[in-house]
Amino acid sequence: MARTGQRRAFPEGFTWGTATAAHQIEGGNVNNDWWAFEHAADSVCTEPSGDACDSWERWEEDADLVAGLGLDNYRFSIEWSRIEPAEGEFSHAALAHYRRVCEGLRARGVDPVVTFHHFTTPRWLTDLGGWESGVAVERFARFCTVVAAALGDVMSSACTINEPNIVATMGWHAGLFPPGKNDVGLARRVAGHFVDAHRAAVEAIRSAAPGIPVGLTLSMTDYQLAPGGEAKLESIRYQAEDVFLDATKGDDFLGVQTYTRQLIGPEGWTGYEEGVPVLDMGYEFYPAALGNCLRRAWDYTDGAVPLFVTENGIGTTDDDQRIDYVHQTLSGVLDAIDEGIDVRGYTYWSLLDNFEWALGYRPRFGIVNVDRTTFARSAKPSAGWFAGVAAANALDG
């Protein structure tokens, strides 16, 4: 990629962070639907999560890493099945653990950004019908009330549900997340329940923790038109994104999470464009996707909700490629800001090489390597590069 040599500054107060999710790093989350899914005899998962990154025990090491990189926030999720292992039975010890995490981050000068649901659901709730049933909405709102009351004075902001569109699609249409079904009608019903759950969670968190900013994080793809794909593109955007964007009205922020693009023709995705690298996750190396999705989110919501990039990154074993991807992506973010779009922060996914769901530990998204046997952490060159960008609050051309 050609570089201009010019330095471009981000707005004053722009935030810099990195992110993880409980099931992907903590280890031993035996009471949720993903643990059951990984260990099923017919599992599509390449391997189980096991000990993950042992971050339930090593969270202070992770906090030290974030602080050592000079980042001002860390987005992490709380594990519902640890906090409420049986229906209505809340663990004071688990709540105290997550409170210590928040307090530990604050002591290091890092804002705790707490995600209340990141892909995993307690087994007791799946036994009641899970997200196919409206009961999940009420149970999730109750959970949010309990957690917000316990953490409200130590967290800096709250993300209700991480990528509900991905959970609905992958779990009930593609069959690659629990419960592993292939029923588009069910997927749409689940999506509707997630929309209701988000609105209920916003109300619950605001009531229990007044003043804490609350928003949704949404997976957005840079859907691009291929010949004859107009109707299909409109349909995909509506089902995958618009029904959730509509649900963000009145929120304090919207978290945009983007990794790549898809070309959409009359039958849907047309496949890869010739000559574009394909990454370990099976999608194109396409850094321009994030800027395009920020524009779409801003235009669709009429600029009513401030935007944060709450996830963006690349799964690769080539750290130079990671730096190139993030550099190009951040240049696109700056372009969007220059166009008047209110983008207030960027969060890299992920802090650690971790459990990447059905694909196991092969995809490497982290700016920090984790030894799979000893769990020793070691920062990659990309971590130092990213820290330099954050420190300067600027991107060298």
Short mmCIF file of all heavy atoms in Angstrom, two decimals, residues 7 30 57 71 81-82 88-89 113 142 204 231 258 266 272 292 317 328 345-346 359 362 384 391:
data_model
loop_
_atom_site.label_atom_id
_atom_site.label_comp_id
_atom_site.label_asym_id
_atom_site.label_seq_id
_atom_site.Cartn_x
_atom_site.Cartn_y
_atom_site.Cartn_z
N ARG A 7 0.74 12.90 8.43
CA ARG A 7 0.09 12.43 9.65
C ARG A 7 -1.30 13.05 9.74
O ARG A 7 -1.47 14.26 9.57
CB ARG A 7 0.92 12.80 10.87
CG ARG A 7 0.22 12.52 12.19
CD ARG A 7 1.13 12.66 13.39
NE ARG A 7 1.98 11.51 13.55
CZ ARG A 7 2.60 11.19 14.68
NH1 ARG A 7 2.48 11.97 15.74
NH2 ARG A 7 3.37 10.13 14.75
N VAL A 30 -18.75 -24.03 31.64
CA VAL A 30 -19.41 -25.31 31.37
C VAL A 30 -20.93 -25.22 31.36
O VAL A 30 -21.59 -26.16 30.91
CB VAL A 30 -18.97 -26.37 32.40
CG1 VAL A 30 -17.47 -26.57 32.35
CG2 VAL A 30 -19.40 -25.99 33.82
N GLU A 57 -8.67 -16.59 35.67
CA GLU A 57 -7.62 -16.47 36.68
C GLU A 57 -6.61 -15.37 36.34
O GLU A 57 -6.06 -14.75 37.24
CB GLU A 57 -6.88 -17.81 36.83
CG GLU A 57 -7.76 -18.98 37.26
CD GLU A 57 -8.30 -18.82 38.67
OE1 GLU A 57 -7.70 -18.06 39.47
OE2 GLU A 57 -9.35 -19.44 38.97
N LEU A 71 -3.94 2.08 26.12
CA LEU A 71 -5.32 2.18 25.64
C LEU A 71 -6.22 2.68 26.76
O LEU A 71 -5.99 2.39 27.93
CB LEU A 71 -5.79 0.82 25.12
CG LEU A 71 -4.90 0.21 24.02
CD1 LEU A 71 -5.43 -1.16 23.61
CD2 LEU A 71 -4.80 1.13 22.82
N SER A 81 -23.93 -17.37 32.38
CA SER A 81 -24.08 -18.67 33.04
C SER A 81 -23.23 -18.82 34.29
O SER A 81 -23.48 -19.71 35.11
CB SER A 81 -23.75 -19.81 32.06
OG SER A 81 -22.37 -19.82 31.73
N ARG A 82 -22.24 -17.96 34.48
CA ARG A 82 -21.50 -17.93 35.75
C ARG A 82 -22.27 -17.12 36.79
O ARG A 82 -22.29 -17.48 37.97
CB ARG A 82 -20.11 -17.31 35.55
CG ARG A 82 -19.09 -18.21 34.87
CD ARG A 82 -17.72 -17.56 34.96
NE ARG A 82 -16.70 -18.24 34.18
CZ ARG A 82 -15.84 -19.14 34.67
NH1 ARG A 82 -15.91 -19.47 35.95
NH2 ARG A 82 -14.92 -19.68 33.89
N GLY A 88 -32.77 -17.89 38.35
CA GLY A 88 -33.05 -17.11 39.54
C GLY A 88 -32.02 -17.22 40.64
O GLY A 88 -32.18 -16.59 41.70
N GLU A 89 -30.97 -17.98 40.41
CA GLU A 89 -29.92 -18.17 41.42
C GLU A 89 -28.68 -17.40 41.00
O GLU A 89 -27.95 -17.82 40.10
CB GLU A 89 -29.60 -19.66 41.56
CG GLU A 89 -28.57 -19.98 42.63
CD GLU A 89 -28.31 -21.47 42.72
OE1 GLU A 89 -29.29 -22.24 42.71
OE2 GLU A 89 -27.13 -21.86 42.79
N VAL A 113 -15.68 -1.30 29.54
CA VAL A 113 -16.85 -1.32 28.67
C VAL A 113 -17.42 -2.73 28.75
O VAL A 113 -16.78 -3.69 28.30
CB VAL A 113 -16.48 -0.95 27.23
CG1 VAL A 113 -17.71 -1.03 26.32
CG2 VAL A 113 -15.83 0.44 27.17
N ARG A 142 -34.12 -9.23 33.46
CA ARG A 142 -33.88 -9.44 34.90
C ARG A 142 -32.38 -9.54 35.18
O ARG A 142 -31.87 -8.95 36.13
CB ARG A 142 -34.60 -10.72 35.36
CG ARG A 142 -34.41 -11.03 36.84
CD ARG A 142 -35.11 -12.32 37.23
NE ARG A 142 -34.51 -13.48 36.57
CZ ARG A 142 -34.99 -14.72 36.67
NH1 ARG A 142 -36.11 -14.94 37.37
NH2 ARG A 142 -34.39 -15.73 36.06
N ALA A 204 -33.69 -1.63 31.48
CA ALA A 204 -33.25 -2.21 32.74
C ALA A 204 -31.95 -1.60 33.23
O ALA A 204 -31.81 -1.27 34.42
CB ALA A 204 -33.10 -3.73 32.58
N ALA A 231 -32.66 -6.47 -5.66
CA ALA A 231 -33.70 -6.93 -4.74
C ALA A 231 -33.10 -7.78 -3.62
O ALA A 231 -33.50 -7.65 -2.45
CB ALA A 231 -34.76 -7.73 -5.50
N THR A 258 -17.26 -4.43 11.97
CA THR A 258 -17.13 -4.75 10.55
C THR A 258 -15.78 -5.38 10.28
O THR A 258 -14.75 -4.96 10.84
CB THR A 258 -17.28 -3.48 9.70
OG1 THR A 258 -18.58 -2.91 9.93
CG2 THR A 258 -17.10 -3.77 8.22
N PRO A 266 -28.17 -11.83 -7.78
CA PRO A 266 -29.57 -12.25 -7.69
C PRO A 266 -29.81 -13.41 -6.72
O PRO A 266 -30.88 -13.53 -6.13
CB PRO A 266 -29.90 -12.68 -9.13
CG PRO A 266 -28.90 -11.96 -9.97
CD PRO A 266 -27.66 -11.85 -9.15
N TYR A 272 -15.88 -14.76 -4.03
CA TYR A 272 -14.76 -13.83 -3.89
C TYR A 272 -14.43 -13.15 -5.21
O TYR A 272 -14.54 -13.75 -6.28
CB TYR A 272 -13.52 -14.58 -3.41
CG TYR A 272 -13.74 -15.38 -2.15
CD1 TYR A 272 -13.71 -16.77 -2.17
CD2 TYR A 272 -13.98 -14.75 -0.94
CE1 TYR A 272 -13.91 -17.51 -1.03
CE2 TYR A 272 -14.18 -15.47 0.22
CZ TYR A 272 -14.15 -16.86 0.17
OH TYR A 272 -14.35 -17.59 1.31
N ASN A 292 -17.16 2.19 4.89
CA ASN A 292 -18.43 2.12 4.18
C ASN A 292 -19.58 1.79 5.11
O ASN A 292 -20.69 2.33 4.97
CB ASN A 292 -18.34 1.08 3.06
CG ASN A 292 -17.40 1.50 1.94
OD1 ASN A 292 -17.14 2.69 1.76
ND2 ASN A 292 -16.88 0.54 1.20
N THR A 317 -1.96 -14.97 10.58
CA THR A 317 -0.68 -15.28 11.22
C THR A 317 0.41 -14.34 10.73
O THR A 317 1.55 -14.41 11.21
CB THR A 317 -0.27 -16.73 10.93
OG1 THR A 317 -0.24 -16.94 9.51
CG2 THR A 317 -1.27 -17.71 11.56
N GLN A 328 -5.04 0.70 6.93
CA GLN A 328 -5.99 1.07 5.88
C GLN A 328 -7.39 1.31 6.46
O GLN A 328 -8.09 2.24 6.04
CB GLN A 328 -6.06 -0.02 4.82
CG GLN A 328 -4.80 -0.17 3.99
CD GLN A 328 -5.02 -1.09 2.80
OE1 GLN A 328 -5.93 -0.88 2.00
NE2 GLN A 328 -4.19 -2.11 2.67
N GLY A 345 -14.72 6.52 18.60
CA GLY A 345 -13.69 5.65 19.12
C GLY A 345 -13.50 4.42 18.26
O GLY A 345 -14.34 4.07 17.41
N TYR A 346 -12.36 3.74 18.47
CA TYR A 346 -12.01 2.54 17.72
C TYR A 346 -11.51 1.48 18.70
O TYR A 346 -10.65 1.74 19.54
CB TYR A 346 -10.92 2.83 16.68
CG TYR A 346 -10.45 1.61 15.94
CD1 TYR A 346 -11.07 1.20 14.76
CD2 TYR A 346 -9.38 0.84 16.42
CE1 TYR A 346 -10.65 0.07 14.07
CE2 TYR A 346 -8.95 -0.29 15.74
CZ TYR A 346 -9.59 -0.67 14.57
OH TYR A 346 -9.17 -1.80 13.90
N LEU A 359 -14.48 -22.36 14.70
CA LEU A 359 -13.17 -22.54 14.07
C LEU A 359 -12.05 -22.79 15.07
O LEU A 359 -10.89 -22.96 14.67
CB LEU A 359 -12.84 -21.31 13.21
CG LEU A 359 -13.79 -21.06 12.03
CD1 LEU A 359 -13.39 -19.80 11.29
CD2 LEU A 359 -13.81 -22.26 11.09
N ARG A 362 -7.51 -21.74 15.57
CA ARG A 362 -6.69 -21.49 14.39
C ARG A 362 -6.66 -20.02 13.97
O ARG A 362 -5.57 -19.46 13.76
CB ARG A 362 -7.18 -22.36 13.22
CG ARG A 362 -6.36 -22.16 11.93
CD ARG A 362 -6.81 -23.13 10.85
NE ARG A 362 -8.22 -22.99 10.53
CZ ARG A 362 -8.70 -22.13 9.64
NH1 ARG A 362 -7.88 -21.29 8.99
NH2 ARG A 362 -10.00 -22.07 9.38
N GLY A 384 2.55 -3.03 19.53
CA GLY A 384 3.34 -1.80 19.67
C GLY A 384 2.95 -0.75 18.66
O GLY A 384 2.88 0.45 18.97
N ALA A 391 -1.34 6.48 21.19
CA ALA A 391 -0.62 7.52 21.93
C ALA A 391 -0.59 8.84 21.17
O ALA A 391 -0.73 9.92 21.76
CB ALA A 391 0.79 7.05 22.25
#
